[in-house]
Amino acid sequence: MTDWLTGQVSGAEVVVSERRIGDLAGVFADAEAFARLPADRVVYRTECILGVPPGTVGGLFWGTTFIEPGTVGDEYFMTKGHIHAKPDRMEAYFTFCGAGLLLLMDAERHCRAERMTPGSTHLIPAFTAHRTVNIGEDVFSFGACWPSDAGHAYQAIADAGFAARVVRSQGAPRVVPNESTVCRH
Amino acid sequence: MTDWLTGQVSGAEVVVSERRIGDLAGVFADAEAFARLPADRVVYRTECILGVPPGTVGGLFWGTTFIEPGTVGDEYFMTKGHIHAKPDRMEAYFTFCGAGLLLLMDAERHCRAERMTPGSTHLIPAFTAHRTVNIGEDVFSFGACWPSDAGHAYQAIADAGFAARVVRSQGAPRVVPNESTVCRH
């Protein structure tokens, strides 16, 4: 079962996973602000139905991600982001509640952002890295459906980051170039 | 955008398709009752986002099916049903509103039915034919997400049918053996 208002996924087969501040070293730009947050603070949680083994060709997975409201310095709480290990695999995202941004980056590191509002439906193209950002004051939740053989290549993002970051500027979200990437590369 | 209450999909890229009585010859058991219905009566409608060409490996499609309430004789309005042309491709179904049954049939023609109620989430296994049935008094709508290279093999179902039918018996749905299949095979 999926609750269309909250995104909650229920049933015996649901697998819950959490990402806490302590799991997200290197993700946010402001290392000092990051160090001041408790390591056990939850940034996001997933509730998934993974009915076939990962890597199964032709299969589909289903799940909801809940991102807590908050910032690290001026940077909004967000997911680690990934590109698929099989990069031609698409993914469908669909928003349940809250306010988010979907940050997309193509193979040439060009970034663009799509607003995620309740009901918004996003078919993420192949060869496109994707990360979600909670730009609201409440929990932001969205569902996902993706091929079970897509896999997640987190390392590419961990190494090079996205070319853009989403920061709170005078109370509103702003997409800015990722200076730390510019410096490192 | 997808409206989580009704299932309506909106946006410039949405492709709408309808199946009317005249498109569904041979689907329902009661040929006489079928012949009495107007050929232009809509049985179901789909609203889909098909962002990549059919056959694209790794892609995903998204859409909602709306099945009208009604019967042909004692048999509820339903979809034609299909198995995927690439039969190892799964499909995700998720109910928005109304009351339905998901009829599933494996490669040995064993059938089972799952209740579809708002929020119910169904990951249809590989190698499994699937058909949906409106067992309620109102429009029944559900979403689907499926691989863009899955394809639809309608002919196998058109030739042999499902091994079970869903009929209204004393006002309630009942899953019964498909006698016409038994006769023909």
Coordinates of all heavy atoms in Angstrom, one line a residue, chain A residues 81-157:
Chain A
G81 N 22.4 11.6 -3.9 CA 22.3 11.7 -5.4 C 23.1 10.6 -6.0 O 24.0 10.0 -5.4
H82 N 22.6 10.2 -7.2 CA 23.3 9.1 -7.9 C 23.0 9.1 -9.4 O 22.1 9.8 -9.9 CB 22.8 7.7 -7.3 CG 21.4 7.4 -7.5 ND1 20.4 7.6 -6.6 CD2 20.7 6.9 -8.6 CE1 19.2 7.3 -7.0 NE2 19.4 6.9 -8.3
I83 N 23.9 8.4 -10.1 CA 23.6 8.1 -11.5 C 23.5 6.5 -11.5 O 24.0 5.9 -10.5 CB 24.7 8.6 -12.4 CG1 24.2 8.5 -13.9 CG2 26.0 8.0 -12.2 CD1 25.0 9.4 -14.9
H84 N 22.8 6.0 -12.4 CA 22.6 4.5 -12.4 C 23.9 3.8 -12.9 O 24.6 4.3 -13.8 CB 21.4 4.1 -13.2 CG 20.1 4.6 -12.6 ND1 19.0 5.0 -13.3 CD2 19.8 4.7 -11.3 CE1 18.1 5.3 -12.5 NE2 18.5 5.2 -11.2
A85 N 24.2 2.7 -12.2 CA 25.3 1.9 -12.6 C 25.1 1.4 -14.1 O 26.1 1.4 -14.9 CB 25.4 0.6 -11.7
K86 N 23.9 1.1 -14.5 CA 23.6 1.0 -15.9 C 23.0 2.4 -16.3 O 21.8 2.6 -16.1 CB 22.5 -0.1 -16.1 CG 23.1 -1.5 -16.0 CD 22.1 -2.5 -16.6 CE 22.7 -3.9 -16.5 NZ 21.7 -5.0 -16.9
P87 N 23.8 3.2 -16.8 CA 23.3 4.7 -17.0 C 22.2 4.9 -17.9 O 21.6 6.0 -17.9 CB 24.6 5.4 -17.4 CG 25.5 4.3 -18.0 CD 25.1 3.0 -17.3
D88 N 21.9 3.9 -18.8 CA 20.7 4.1 -19.7 C 19.4 3.9 -19.0 O 18.3 4.0 -19.6 CB 20.9 3.3 -21.0 CG 20.8 1.8 -20.7 OD1 20.8 1.4 -19.5 OD2 20.7 1.0 -21.7
R89 N 19.4 3.5 -17.7 CA 18.1 3.2 -17.1 C 17.5 4.5 -16.6 O 18.1 5.3 -15.9 CB 18.3 2.3 -15.8 CG 18.2 0.8 -16.1 CD 18.7 0.3 -17.4 NE 18.6 -1.1 -17.5 CZ 19.0 -1.8 -18.6 NH1 19.5 -1.2 -19.7 NH2 18.8 -3.1 -18.6
M90 N 16.2 4.7 -16.9 CA 15.4 5.9 -16.4 C 14.9 5.6 -15.0 O 15.1 4.5 -14.5 CB 14.3 6.1 -17.4 CG 14.7 6.7 -18.7 SD 13.2 7.0 -19.8 CE 12.2 8.1 -18.9
E91 N 14.3 6.6 -14.4 CA 13.6 6.5 -13.1 C 12.4 7.4 -13.1 O 12.5 8.5 -13.6 CB 14.6 6.7 -12.0 CG 14.0 6.5 -10.6 CD 15.1 6.3 -9.5 OE1 16.3 6.3 -9.9 OE2 14.7 6.1 -8.4
A92 N 11.3 7.0 -12.5 CA 10.2 7.8 -12.4 C 10.1 8.4 -11.0 O 10.2 7.6 -10.0 CB 8.9 7.1 -12.7
Y93 N 10.0 9.7 -10.8 CA 9.8 10.3 -9.5 C 8.4 11.0 -9.5 O 8.0 11.5 -10.5 CB 10.8 11.4 -9.2 CG 12.1 10.9 -8.7 CD1 12.4 9.6 -8.5 CD2 13.1 11.8 -8.4 CE1 13.7 9.2 -8.0 CE2 14.4 11.4 -7.9 CZ 14.6 10.1 -7.7 OH 15.9 9.7 -7.2
F94 N 7.7 10.9 -8.3 CA 6.4 11.5 -8.3 C 6.1 12.0 -6.8 O 6.3 11.3 -5.9 CB 5.3 10.5 -8.7 CG 5.6 9.1 -8.4 CD1 5.0 8.5 -7.3 CD2 6.5 8.4 -9.2 CE1 5.3 7.1 -7.0 CE2 6.8 7.0 -8.9 CZ 6.2 6.4 -7.8
T95 N 5.7 13.3 -6.7 CA 5.7 13.9 -5.4 C 4.5 13.7 -4.7 O 3.4 13.8 -5.2 CB 5.9 15.5 -5.6 OG1 7.0 15.7 -6.5 CG2 6.2 16.1 -4.3
F96 N 4.6 13.4 -3.4 CA 3.4 13.2 -2.5 C 3.2 14.5 -1.7 O 2.1 15.0 -1.8 CB 3.7 12.0 -1.5 CG 3.8 10.7 -2.3 CD1 4.9 9.9 -2.1 CD2 2.8 10.3 -3.1 CE1 5.0 8.7 -2.8 CE2 2.9 9.1 -3.8 CZ 4.0 8.3 -3.6
C97 N 4.1 14.9 -0.9 CA 3.9 16.1 -0.1 C 5.1 16.9 0.1 O 6.2 16.4 0.0 CB 3.2 15.8 1.2 SG 4.2 14.9 2.4
G98 N 4.9 18.2 0.5 CA 6.1 19.1 0.7 C 6.5 19.8 -0.5 O 5.8 19.8 -1.6
A99 N 7.7 20.4 -0.4 CA 8.2 21.2 -1.5 C 9.7 20.8 -1.8 O 10.5 20.8 -0.9 CB 8.1 22.7 -1.2
G100 N 9.9 20.5 -3.0 CA 11.3 20.0 -3.3 C 11.8 20.5 -4.6 O 11.1 21.1 -5.4
L101 N 13.1 20.2 -4.8 CA 13.7 20.4 -6.2 C 14.3 19.1 -6.6 O 14.9 18.4 -5.7 CB 14.8 21.5 -6.1 CG 14.4 23.0 -6.2 CD1 15.6 23.9 -6.3 CD2 13.5 23.3 -7.4
L102 N 14.2 18.8 -7.8 CA 14.9 17.7 -8.4 C 16.1 18.3 -9.2 O 15.8 19.1 -10.2 CB 14.0 16.9 -9.3 CG 14.6 15.8 -10.2 CD1 15.3 14.8 -9.4 CD2 13.5 15.2 -11.1
L103 N 17.3 18.0 -8.8 CA 18.5 18.5 -9.5 C 18.9 17.4 -10.4 O 19.2 16.2 -10.0 CB 19.5 18.8 -8.4 CG 20.6 19.8 -8.8 CD1 20.1 21.1 -9.2 CD2 21.6 19.9 -7.5
L104 N 19.0 17.8 -11.7 CA 19.4 16.8 -12.8 C 20.7 17.3 -13.4 O 20.9 18.5 -13.6 CB 18.3 16.8 -13.8 CG 16.9 16.3 -13.3 CD1 15.9 16.6 -14.4 CD2 17.0 14.8 -13.0
M105 N 21.6 16.3 -13.7 CA 22.9 16.7 -14.3 C 23.2 15.7 -15.4 O 23.2 14.5 -15.2 CB 24.0 16.7 -13.3 CG 25.3 17.2 -13.9 SD 26.6 17.4 -12.6 CE 26.9 15.7 -12.1
D106 N 23.4 16.3 -16.6 CA 23.7 15.4 -17.8 C 25.2 15.0 -17.8 O 26.0 15.4 -17.0 CB 23.2 16.0 -19.1 CG 24.0 17.2 -19.5 OD1 25.1 17.5 -19.0 OD2 23.5 18.0 -20.3
A107 N 25.5 14.2 -18.9 CA 26.9 13.7 -18.9 C 27.9 14.8 -19.1 O 29.1 14.6 -18.8 CB 27.0 12.7 -20.1
E108 N 27.5 16.0 -19.6 CA 28.4 17.1 -19.7 C 28.4 18.0 -18.4 O 28.9 19.1 -18.5 CB 28.1 18.0 -20.9 CG 28.5 17.4 -22.3 CD 27.6 16.2 -22.7 OE1 26.3 16.4 -22.6 OE2 28.1 15.2 -23.1
R109 N 27.8 17.5 -17.4 CA 27.8 18.2 -16.1 C 26.9 19.5 -16.2 O 27.0 20.3 -15.3 CB 29.1 18.5 -15.5 CG 29.9 17.2 -15.2 CD 31.3 17.5 -14.5 NE 31.2 18.2 -13.3 CZ 30.7 17.7 -12.1 NH1 30.3 16.5 -12.0 NH2 30.7 18.5 -11.0
H110 N 26.0 19.6 -17.2 CA 25.1 20.6 -17.2 C 23.9 20.3 -16.2 O 23.4 19.2 -16.3 CB 24.5 20.9 -18.6 CG 25.5 21.3 -19.6 ND1 25.6 20.8 -20.8 CD2 26.5 22.3 -19.4 CE1 26.6 21.4 -21.4 NE2 27.2 22.3 -20.6
C111 N 23.6 21.2 -15.3 CA 22.6 21.0 -14.3 C 21.3 21.8 -14.7 O 21.4 22.9 -15.2 CB 23.0 21.5 -12.9 SG 24.1 20.3 -12.1
R112 N 20.2 21.2 -14.3 CA 18.9 21.9 -14.3 C 18.1 21.4 -13.1 O 18.3 20.3 -12.6 CB 18.2 21.7 -15.6 CG 17.8 20.4 -16.0 CD 17.3 20.3 -17.4 NE 17.0 18.9 -17.8 CZ 15.8 18.3 -17.6 NH1 14.8 19.0 -17.1 NH2 15.6 17.0 -17.9
A113 N 17.1 22.2 -12.7 CA 16.3 21.9 -11.6 C 14.8 21.9 -12.0 O 14.4 22.7 -12.7 CB 16.5 22.8 -10.4
E114 N 14.1 20.9 -11.4 CA 12.6 20.9 -11.6 C 12.0 21.0 -10.3 O 12.4 20.3 -9.3 CB 12.2 19.6 -12.3 CG 12.7 19.4 -13.7 CD 12.3 18.1 -14.4 OE1 11.5 17.3 -13.8 OE2 12.7 17.9 -15.6
R115 N 10.9 21.8 -10.2 CA 10.1 21.9 -9.0 C 9.4 20.6 -8.7 O 8.8 20.1 -9.6 CB 9.1 23.1 -9.1 CG 9.6 24.4 -9.1 CD 9.3 25.0 -7.7 NE 10.0 26.4 -7.6 CZ 10.2 27.0 -6.5 NH1 9.8 26.5 -5.3 NH2 10.8 28.2 -6.5
M116 N 9.4 20.2 -7.5 CA 8.6 19.0 -7.1 C 7.5 19.5 -6.1 O 7.8 20.0 -5.0 CB 9.5 18.0 -6.5 CG 10.5 17.4 -7.5 SD 11.6 16.1 -6.8 CE 10.5 14.7 -6.8
T117 N 6.3 19.4 -6.6 CA 5.1 19.8 -5.8 C 4.1 18.6 -5.8 O 4.2 17.7 -6.7 CB 4.4 21.0 -6.4 OG1 4.1 20.7 -7.8 CG2 5.3 22.2 -6.4
P118 N 3.2 18.5 -4.9 CA 2.3 17.3 -4.8 C 1.7 17.0 -6.2 O 1.1 17.9 -6.8 CB 1.3 17.7 -3.8 CG 2.1 18.6 -2.8 CD 3.0 19.4 -3.7
G119 N 1.9 15.8 -6.6 CA 1.4 15.4 -7.9 C 2.4 15.5 -9.1 O 2.2 14.9 -10.1
S120 N 3.5 16.3 -8.9 CA 4.4 16.5 -10.0 C 5.1 15.1 -10.3 O 5.4 14.4 -9.4 CB 5.4 17.6 -9.7 OG 6.4 17.1 -8.7
T121 N 5.2 14.9 -11.6 CA 5.6 13.6 -12.1 C 6.8 13.8 -13.0 O 6.8 14.6 -14.0 CB 4.5 12.9 -12.9 OG1 3.3 12.9 -12.0 CG2 4.8 11.5 -13.3
H122 N 7.9 13.1 -12.7 CA 9.2 13.4 -13.4 C 9.8 12.1 -13.9 O 10.1 11.2 -13.2 CB 10.2 14.0 -12.4 CG 9.6 15.2 -11.6 ND1 9.9 16.5 -11.9 CD2 8.7 15.2 -10.5 CE1 9.2 17.3 -11.0 NE2 8.5 16.5 -10.2
L123 N 9.9 12.0 -15.2 CA 10.5 10.9 -15.8 C 12.0 11.2 -16.1 O 12.3 12.0 -17.1 CB 9.8 10.4 -17.1 CG 8.4 9.9 -16.6 CD1 7.4 9.8 -17.8 CD2 8.6 8.5 -16.0
I124 N 12.9 10.8 -15.3 CA 14.3 11.2 -15.3 C 14.9 10.5 -16.5 O 14.9 9.3 -16.6 CB 15.0 10.8 -14.0 CG1 14.3 11.6 -12.8 CG2 16.5 11.1 -14.0 CD1 14.7 11.0 -11.5
P125 N 15.5 11.3 -17.4 CA 16.1 10.7 -18.6 C 17.3 9.8 -18.3 O 17.9 9.8 -17.2 CB 16.6 11.9 -19.4 CG 15.9 13.1 -18.8 CD 15.7 12.8 -17.4
A126 N 17.6 9.0 -19.3 CA 18.8 8.1 -19.2 C 20.0 9.0 -19.1 O 20.0 10.2 -19.4 CB 18.9 7.2 -20.4
F127 N 21.1 8.5 -18.6 CA 22.4 9.2 -18.5 C 22.4 10.5 -17.7 O 23.1 11.4 -18.1 CB 23.0 9.4 -19.9 CG 23.1 8.1 -20.7 CD1 22.1 7.8 -21.7 CD2 24.1 7.2 -20.5 CE1 22.2 6.7 -22.4 CE2 24.2 6.1 -21.2 CZ 23.3 5.8 -22.2
T128 N 21.5 10.5 -16.7 CA 21.3 11.8 -16.0 C 21.4 11.5 -14.5 O 20.6 10.8 -13.9 CB 19.9 12.4 -16.3 OG1 19.8 12.5 -17.8 CG2 19.7 13.7 -15.7
A129 N 22.4 12.2 -13.8 CA 22.5 12.1 -12.4 C 21.3 12.8 -11.8 O 20.8 13.8 -12.3 CB 23.8 12.7 -11.9
H130 N 20.8 12.3 -10.6 CA 19.6 13.0 -10.0 C 19.8 13.0 -8.5 O 20.3 12.1 -7.9 CB 18.3 12.3 -10.4 CG 18.4 10.8 -10.5 ND1 19.1 10.2 -11.6 CD2 17.9 9.8 -9.8 CE1 19.0 8.9 -11.4 NE2 18.2 8.6 -10.3
R131 N 19.4 14.1 -7.9 CA 19.4 14.4 -6.5 C 18.2 15.2 -6.1 O 17.7 16.0 -6.9 CB 20.7 15.2 -6.2 CG 20.6 16.0 -4.9 CD 21.9 16.7 -4.7 NE 23.0 15.8 -4.2 CZ 24.3 16.1 -4.1 NH1 24.7 17.3 -4.4 NH2 25.1 15.3 -3.6
T132 N 17.6 15.0 -4.9 CA 16.4 15.7 -4.5 C 16.7 16.5 -3.3 O 17.5 16.1 -2.4 CB 15.3 14.7 -4.2 OG1 15.8 13.6 -3.5 CG2 14.7 14.2 -5.5
V133 N 16.1 17.7 -3.2 CA 16.4 18.7 -2.2 C 15.1 19.1 -1.5 O 14.1 19.4 -2.3 CB 17.0 19.9 -2.9 CG1 17.5 20.9 -1.8 CG2 18.2 19.5 -3.7
N134 N 15.0 19.1 -0.2 CA 13.8 19.7 0.5 C 14.0 21.2 0.7 O 14.8 21.6 1.5 CB 13.7 19.0 1.8 CG 12.4 19.4 2.5 OD1 11.7 20.3 2.1 ND2 12.1 18.7 3.6
I135 N 13.2 21.9 -0.1 CA 13.3 23.4 0.0 C 12.2 24.0 0.9 O 12.0 25.2 0.9 CB 13.3 24.1 -1.4 CG1 12.0 23.7 -2.2 CG2 14.5 23.7 -2.2 CD1 11.8 24.5 -3.4
G136 N 11.4 23.1 1.6 CA 10.3 23.6 2.4 C 10.6 23.5 3.9 O 11.7 23.2 4.3
E137 N 9.5 23.8 4.6 CA 9.6 23.8 6.1 C 9.1 22.5 6.7 O 9.2 22.3 7.9 CB 8.8 25.0 6.6 CG 9.1 26.4 6.1 CD 10.5 26.8 6.4 OE1 11.0 26.5 7.6 OE2 11.2 27.3 5.5
D138 N 8.5 21.6 5.9 CA 8.0 20.4 6.3 C 8.7 19.2 5.6 O 9.5 19.4 4.7 CB 6.5 20.3 6.0 CG 5.7 21.5 6.7 OD1 5.8 21.7 7.9 OD2 5.1 22.2 5.9
V139 N 8.3 18.0 6.0 CA 8.9 16.8 5.3 C 8.5 16.9 3.9 O 7.3 17.2 3.5 CB 8.4 15.5 6.0 CG1 8.8 14.3 5.2 CG2 8.9 15.4 7.4
F140 N 9.4 16.6 3.0 CA 9.2 16.5 1.6 C 9.3 15.0 1.2 O 10.3 14.3 1.5 CB 10.2 17.3 0.9 CG 10.5 17.0 -0.6 CD1 9.4 17.0 -1.5 CD2 11.7 16.7 -1.1 CE1 9.6 16.7 -2.8 CE2 12.0 16.4 -2.4 CZ 10.9 16.4 -3.3
S141 N 8.2 14.5 0.6 CA 8.2 13.1 0.2 C 7.8 12.9 -1.2 O 7.0 13.6 -1.8 CB 7.3 12.3 1.1 OG 5.9 12.6 0.8
F142 N 8.5 11.9 -1.8 CA 8.2 11.6 -3.2 C 8.4 10.1 -3.4 O 9.2 9.4 -2.8 CB 9.1 12.4 -4.2 CG 10.6 12.1 -4.1 CD1 11.2 11.1 -4.9 CD2 11.3 12.7 -3.1 CE1 12.5 10.8 -4.8 CE2 12.7 12.4 -2.9 CZ 13.3 11.4 -3.8
G143 N 7.7 9.5 -4.4 CA 7.8 8.1 -4.8 C 8.7 8.0 -5.9 O 9.0 8.9 -6.7
A144 N 9.2 6.7 -6.1 CA 10.1 6.4 -7.2 C 9.8 5.0 -7.7 O 9.4 4.1 -6.9 CB 11.6 6.5 -6.7
C145 N 9.9 4.8 -9.0 CA 9.8 3.5 -9.6 C 11.0 3.4 -10.5 O 11.2 4.3 -11.4 CB 8.5 3.3 -10.3 SG 8.2 1.7 -10.9
W146 N 11.8 2.3 -10.4 CA 13.0 2.2 -11.2 C 13.4 0.8 -11.5 O 13.0 -0.1 -10.7 CB 14.2 3.0 -10.5 CG 14.7 2.3 -9.2 CD1 15.9 1.6 -9.1 CD2 14.2 2.4 -7.9 NE1 16.1 1.2 -7.8 CE2 15.0 1.6 -7.0 CE3 13.0 2.9 -7.3 CZ2 14.8 1.5 -5.7 CZ3 12.7 2.7 -6.0 CH2 13.6 2.0 -5.2
P147 N 14.1 0.6 -12.6 CA 14.4 -0.8 -13.0 C 15.3 -1.5 -12.0 O 16.3 -0.9 -11.5 CB 15.1 -0.6 -14.3 CG 14.7 0.7 -14.8 CD 14.5 1.6 -13.6
S148 N 15.0 -2.7 -11.7 CA 15.8 -3.5 -10.7 C 17.2 -3.8 -11.1 O 18.1 -4.2 -10.3 CB 15.1 -4.8 -10.3 OG 14.8 -5.5 -11.4
D149 N 17.5 -3.5 -12.4 CA 18.9 -3.7 -12.8 C 19.6 -2.4 -13.0 O 20.7 -2.3 -13.6 CB 19.0 -4.5 -14.1 CG 18.4 -3.9 -15.3 OD1 17.6 -2.8 -15.1 OD2 18.6 -4.3 -16.4
A150 N 19.0 -1.3 -12.5 CA 19.6 0.1 -12.7 C 20.9 0.2 -11.9 O 21.9 0.7 -12.4 CB 18.6 1.2 -12.4
G151 N 20.8 -0.2 -10.6 CA 21.9 0.0 -9.7 C 22.1 1.5 -9.4 O 21.5 2.4 -10.0
H152 N 23.0 1.7 -8.4 CA 23.3 3.1 -8.0 C 24.8 3.3 -8.0 O 25.5 2.6 -7.3 CB 22.8 3.4 -6.6 CG 21.3 3.3 -6.4 ND1 20.6 2.1 -6.2 CD2 20.3 4.2 -6.5 CE1 19.3 2.3 -6.1 NE2 19.1 3.6 -6.3
A153 N 25.3 4.2 -8.8 CA 26.7 4.6 -8.7 C 26.8 5.9 -7.9 O 26.7 7.0 -8.4 CB 27.2 4.8 -10.2
Y154 N 27.0 5.7 -6.6 CA 27.1 6.9 -5.7 C 28.5 7.5 -5.8 O 28.7 8.7 -5.6 CB 26.9 6.5 -4.3 CG 25.5 6.1 -4.0 CD1 25.2 4.8 -3.7 CD2 24.4 7.0 -4.0 CE1 23.9 4.4 -3.4 CE2 23.1 6.7 -3.7 CZ 22.8 5.3 -3.4 OH 21.6 4.9 -3.1
Q155 N 29.5 6.7 -6.2 CA 30.9 7.2 -6.1 C 31.2 8.4 -7.0 O 31.9 9.3 -6.6 CB 31.9 6.0 -6.3 CG 33.3 6.3 -5.8 CD 33.3 6.7 -4.3 OE1 32.6 6.0 -3.5 NE2 34.0 7.7 -3.9
A156 N 30.6 8.3 -8.2 CA 30.9 9.4 -9.2 C 30.4 10.7 -8.6 O 31.1 11.7 -8.8 CB 30.1 9.1 -10.5
I157 N 29.3 10.7 -7.9 CA 28.8 11.9 -7.3 C 29.6 12.3 -6.1 O 29.9 13.5 -5.9 CB 27.3 11.8 -6.9 CG1 26.4 11.4 -8.2 CG2 26.8 13.1 -6.3 CD1 26.5 12.3 -9.3

